[in-house]
Amino acid sequence: MTLPVGVPAIEAVDVSRTYQLDGVSVPALRGVSFTIDSGEYVAVVGPSGSRKSTLMHLLGGLDRPTDGRLVIGGRDVATLSAPELATLRNETIGFVFQAFHLLPRTSAVDNVALPLVYRGIGARQRRDRAAATLGRVGLGHRLHHRPSQLSGGEQQRVAIARALVTDPAVLLADEPTGNLDSATGEAVLELLERLNAESGVALVMVTHDQEVAARARRQIAVRDGRVRSDAIHDRPLSGAVGRPATLDGAPSAEPRSVSGSGPGHPSGGSGGAAGATGRLSRPPSGRTAEGVGGDEPQAGGGS
Amino acid sequence: MRLAEAWRVALDALRANRMRSALTMLGVIIGVASVVLLVAIGTGTKQKVEQQVEGLGSNLLLVVPGKLDVGTAPVVSPLTLKDVDAVSRVVGDPGRVAVTIASGATARAGARSDFTTVQGVLETTPTVFTRSLARGRYLTGADVDTSRRVAVLGASVARALFPDRDPLGQQIALAGVRFRVIGVFTPLGQSLGVDRDDEVHIPVTAAQRLWGTQRVDGIAVKAPDRERIDQLGDRIVAELSRRHPDTEFSAVTQQQILGVLGDILGVLTGVLAAIAGISLLVGGVGVSNIMLVSVRERTREIGLRKAVGARPRDIGVQFLLEAVLLTSIGGLTGMGLGVGTALLVDTVSPIPAAITWWSLALAFGVSAAVGIVFGVVPAQRAGRLDPVVALRAE
Ligand SMILES: Nc1ncnc2c1ncn2[C@@H]1O[C@H](COP(=O)(O)OP(=O)(O)OP(=O)(O)O)[C@@H](O)[C@H]1O
Ligand SMILES: [Mg+2]
């Protein structure tokens, strides 16, 4: 799905999510604000229990904020009914889960075609598109295998194809390599990065791995339901290969604001070796970020 | 989601759990089969009884003392053979008038005996009631006029008393009085569990002498035509009332008997169907139960489907179709089983069974409806599942 020019893929303004547990309000997310532009590559990091998954569910329209404004693909989720939100998920969002979540008795091609079922697309066209998408993730030869007949890496690639088959604006991946060994995980990661670079689909990926996070151009650090930092840094890493031309050769980091320039408007100095890469953190609007620095991912290993 | 797609998904889900689907269907199968079978037996019995009543002879008019109503006490008949003559004059043809005086009695022949119904009758009985003989002859006017001790045996009585001998010409004893067998009836078979061949006909005059009475129990008239049968009945009742002012008389036509019997048997069929319907209901509860299990088991699948764009309705329809498919397949199988069993019962047992299209349509419709009714709650539950919670489920 191609969004109109100037429409951010996702826009969160002071988004909160509170759970009711035995009549007690438990705040999970507290006033999160940021914008994801189309084509961006964002890593979401934070310790376990910091509400990264909760945040991803909101960004993907699986859940609704209890407070604040959340606009996905130009549509304010507060104004959408349950079926409208489902349609929005179908058209705008592609999910990749840590646990793959493939239908076990269904072939790879039919698993990939599943989102198209809910678009009312006919069986033949679904299969054609699913097969083509499986080809894009390098599984053109595994169309009729069931998940149990595939390796973990292949299963995750099927799941990626499923997320991609609807041509979404955003790919949301919650620890997509969490269940894979490092070599397989690296391949999946490279696939995601390649798809992000090639098709312009925004990629928002939760990861525990600092090295992985460092490959993203932008990192959002979450702790205890708040955005601790939101930083952009450009490095000539695989994630940057094939990025829009304006990004190339702009290895320095720059501060960013919610309403400010997206990745398409980099500014700042040039040059700089990886070790010298700047790293700026931006507190969420209207808040003060605590502890900027210490626990932030190190941008390193670029050279 | 397209409906065809939803059907396919539902069918796949049932196939994934063949054993469980089959067991769940079993409840519906048994329910539908018993509805079809019991309705078939009810209908078959009704048809057979109606056939038999019609077989009594068309345009039949029964005249009895007292009111012919369910629950009224029988009245001791004041009627005598003189009244029968009067009725014959009203009818205008003595050949169309039959009488009966009946009593249970033990018939003996040598060492054998058989408890049976002895009927004192006129020679007109075969004409009025359309009876035929297998052997020998029936009573004649002379037999009646002279109170001759002759008897015509029903097929069962003949078999019981003379299993290895020709009954014609043999002697039997009724209440110690000897009668000579002159004929044997063609068998009639059973009706509502009653053996209609368990009877002995003797001249009414001989019967009256045997029991020391002048009365007859009832008069039967074969009306000359159907149109004026009610009118004829009224005239006979009027004549009898004139002769016996203290007694009320009723004339019932075959149509009325059929109507009353039909009502009784219709209610019986309805009760049978309702009892069978309860088992169908139990089958439906089983479907509901299994669907709830299915929703729980497939919570993650539901979450995933929702995550990729399934609307609550899509999920609800998928599970509803699954329930409807369960009960419809169960319903069709049950129909087959019910029809098969009914045909078997009809051929190998004395119980009649007749398949009616409406009972099949009803049974199938009800089973599909049961799927909807009992599938709605699980389907709604599935449709409303929170995708985040569902995806987290184990
Ligand atoms: N439905 C819910 N009801 C109540 N609390 C919830 C609910 N969902 C999430 N939480 C809260 O959110 C916390 C977990 O948040 P979340 O799963 O988003 O963290 P995470 O950063 O993804 O953690 P991890 O790195 O381990 O995946 C739980 O400790 C719980 O308190
Ligand atoms: Mg998580």
Side-chain angles (χ1 to χ4, degrees):
Chain A
M1 173 180 185
T2 317
L3 294 172
V5 180
V7 173
I10 296 170
E11 191 181 0
V13 182
D14 213 15
V15 164
S16 298
R17 177 67 167 96
T18 305
Y19 292 112
Q20 296 295 327
L21 270 186
D22 303 325
V24 183
S25 291
V26 183
L29 278 177
R30 322 167 190 229
V32 171
S33 301
F34 55 74
T35 301
I36 310 281
D37 283 310
S38 41
E40 265 198 292
Y41 178 10
V42 182
V44 175
V45 294
S48 186
S50 58
R51 319 293 198 266
K52 302 182 296 294
S53 294
T54 306
L55 176 63
M56 293 295 268
H57 292 145
L58 284 168
L59 299 186
L62 281 174
D63 195 8
R64 294 172 190 263
T66 37
D67 220 340
R69 209 168 97 88
L70 179 62
V71 183
I72 301 173
R75 308 198 63 181
D76 187 340
V77 299
T79 66
L80 300 178
S81 66
E84 284 170 336
L85 194 57
T87 304
L88 180 70
R89 287 197 292 270
N90 183 265
E91 291 174 346
T92 313
I93 306 293
F95 271 106
V96 179
F97 303 94
Q98 177 175 349
F100 317 148
H101 286 315
L102 299 174
L103 300 183
R105 300 185 345 101
T106 306
S107 67
V109 70
D110 284 339
N111 259 298
V112 173
L114 189 65
L116 301 178
V117 166
Y118 298 106
R119 279 195 186 184
I121 292 175
R124 173 167 300 180
Q125 210 191 330
R126 283 204 307 262
R127 290 210 163 192
D128 289 349
R129 282 177 65 172
T133 312
L134 276 170
R136 281 177 70 192
V137 302
L139 286 178
H141 58 299
R142 291 274 190 271
L143 298 186
H144 302 293
H145 286 59
R146 293 193 176 183
S148 58
Q149 298 163 331
L150 296 171
S151 72
E154 286 173 327
Q155 288 185 52
Q156 191 60 303
R157 281 194 281 166
V158 172
I160 292 169
R162 179 183 61 197
L164 221 59
V165 75
T166 54
D167 199 11
V170 191
L171 215 51
L172 297 175
D174 194 348
E175 301 195 48
T177 61
N179 279 7
L180 303 173
D181 63 58
S182 55
T184 318
E186 173 61 26
V188 164
L189 210 58
E190 276 170 15
L191 172 65
L192 286 170
E193 285 168 349
R194 178 168 62 79
L195 293 166
N196 165 246
E198 279 174 1
S199 66
V201 60
L203 172 61
V204 180
M205 182 174 67
V206 169
T207 179
H208 267 119
D209 189 332
Q210 301 292 1
E211 266 181 55
V212 170
R215 291 158 66 149
R217 181 170 178 272
R218 177 178 172 197
Q219 294 174 18
I220 296 178
V222 183
R223 174 169 269 186
D224 199 19
R226 293 181 219 270
V227 172
R228 284 276 306 271
S229 69
D230 184 347
I232 288 182
H233 31 173
D234 295 306
R235 290 171 320 285
L237 271 171
S238 59
V241 174
R243 298 293 294 268
T246 48
L247 290 177
D248 292 338
S252 62
E254 84 247 48
R256 213 186 124 79
S257 69
V258 170
S259 55
S261 52
H265 303 280
S267 61
S270 59
T277 299
R279 181 170 44 72
L280 291 175
S281 299
R282 183 190 57 79
S285 61
R287 288 176 196 278
T288 312
E290 336 117 60
V292 171
D295 60 340
E296 293 300 340
Q298 292 299 317
S303 50
Chain B
M1 176 154 64
R2 292 179 174 183
L3 209 57
E5 186 67 26
W7 279 113
R8 200 187 56 72
V9 172
L11 199 61
D12 274 357
L14 294 188
R15 280 211 208 102
N17 273 304
R18 274 170 218 271
M19 193 63 183
R20 191 169 76 189
S21 305
L23 287 175
T24 311
M25 277 178 201
L26 198 59
V28 179
I29 291 172
I30 291 172
V32 169
S34 42
V35 167
V36 169
L37 177 64
L38 291 182
V39 168
I41 288 176
T43 311
T45 306
K46 189 173 161 181
Q47 283 178 2
K48 189 164 181 188
V49 167
E50 283 171 356
Q51 261 172 26
Q52 286 165 343
V53 171
E54 272 163 12
L56 288 178
S58 51
N59 303 355
L60 197 66
L61 192 63
L62 299 179
V63 184
V64 289
K67 259 185 145 54
L68 203 91
D69 238 339
V70 181
T72 44
V75 176
V76 175
S77 172
L79 295 173
T80 65
L81 285 173
K82 289 201 174 63
D83 296 310
V84 177
D85 289 340
V87 168
S88 293
R89 279 194 296 277
V90 173
V91 176
D93 177 2
R96 292 183 171 278
V97 180
V99 303
T100 178
I101 172 168
S103 179
T106 304
R108 292 180 199 285
R112 298 179 195 276
S113 69
D114 184 35
F115 188 80
T116 183
T117 305
V118 175
Q119 301 229 32
V121 294
L122 294 174
E123 73 281 5
T124 52
T125 300
T127 326
V128 175
F129 289 101
T130 325
R131 299 290 301 271
S132 64
L133 294 192
R135 301 182 47 76
R137 64 168 178 89
Y138 197 67
L139 310 173
T140 62
D143 292 334
V144 174
D145 289 344
T146 58
S147 312
R148 204 169 280 156
R149 295 201 298 274
V150 289
V152 176
L153 306 186
S156 312
V157 181
R159 214 175 318 116
L161 296 182
F162 305 102
D164 42 18
R165 270 190 296 166
D166 183 357
L168 287 190
Q170 302 291 336
Q171 299 285 332
I172 61 167
L174 298 172
V177 179
R178 302 211 305 170
F179 284 76
R180 186 167 50 88
V181 178
I182 57 169
V184 178
F185 281 116
T186 310
L188 288 174
Q190 299 224 333
S191 171
L192 289 175
V194 176
D195 182 2
R196 296 177 66 208
D197 298 314
D198 186 17
E199 59 176 358
V200 175
H201 286 202
I202 59 174
V204 62
T205 44
Q208 286 176 333
R209 189 174 293 172
L210 196 61
W211 295 318
T213 177
Q214 291 295 307
R215 78 184 151 87
V216 297
D217 290 337
I219 301 171
V221 175
K222 185 172 186 163
D225 62 291
R226 211 171 199 119
E227 283 66 45
R228 278 176 293 173
I229 193 164
D230 290 325
Q231 200 189 332
L232 182 63
D234 291 346
R235 277 167 52 213
I236 293 170
V237 167
E239 171 67 10
L240 291 177
S241 301
R242 193 183 60 75
R243 295 171 63 92
H244 302 277
D246 298 337
T247 312
E248 213 175 339
F249 292 93
S250 337
V252 265
T253 63
Q254 188 187 330
Q255 244 61 38
Q256 287 168 312
I257 297 172
L258 278 180
V260 171
L261 279 176
D263 286 353
I264 293 171
L265 291 170
V267 169
L268 194 74
T269 305
V271 169
L272 288 179
I275 291 171
I278 291 172
S279 66
L280 189 53
L281 205 69
V282 173
V285 174
V287 170
S288 208
N289 195 15
I290 282 303
M291 289 312 298
L292 286 173
V293 171
S294 180
V295 169
R296 174 169 293 218
E297 264 183 8
R298 281 148 68 200
T299 302
R300 286 217 304 185
E301 177 191 328
I302 294 167
L304 186 267
R305 286 180 182 272
K306 286 197 157 188
V308 301
R311 291 158 298 181
R313 241 190 92 222
D314 294 323
I315 301 293
V317 165
Q318 178 191 326
F319 279 89
L320 193 60
L321 287 185
E322 201 177 314
V324 170
L325 214 54
L326 261 179
T327 59
S328 312
I329 295 174
L332 281 174
T333 315
M335 260 162 64
L337 188 68
V339 169
T341 317
L343 292 179
L344 195 73
V345 162
D346 195 49
T347 42
V348 308
S349 85
I351 302 166
I355 303 297
T356 47
W357 289 113
W358 67 262
S359 75
L360 295 187
L362 187 79
F364 183 73
V366 167
S367 59
V370 159
I372 294 174
V373 169
F374 288 95
V376 151
V377 169
Q380 274 183 346
R381 184 170 290 189
R384 289 197 194 127
L385 268 181
D386 179 347
V388 173
V389 176
L391 277 171
R392 249 188 222 143
E394 286 311 309

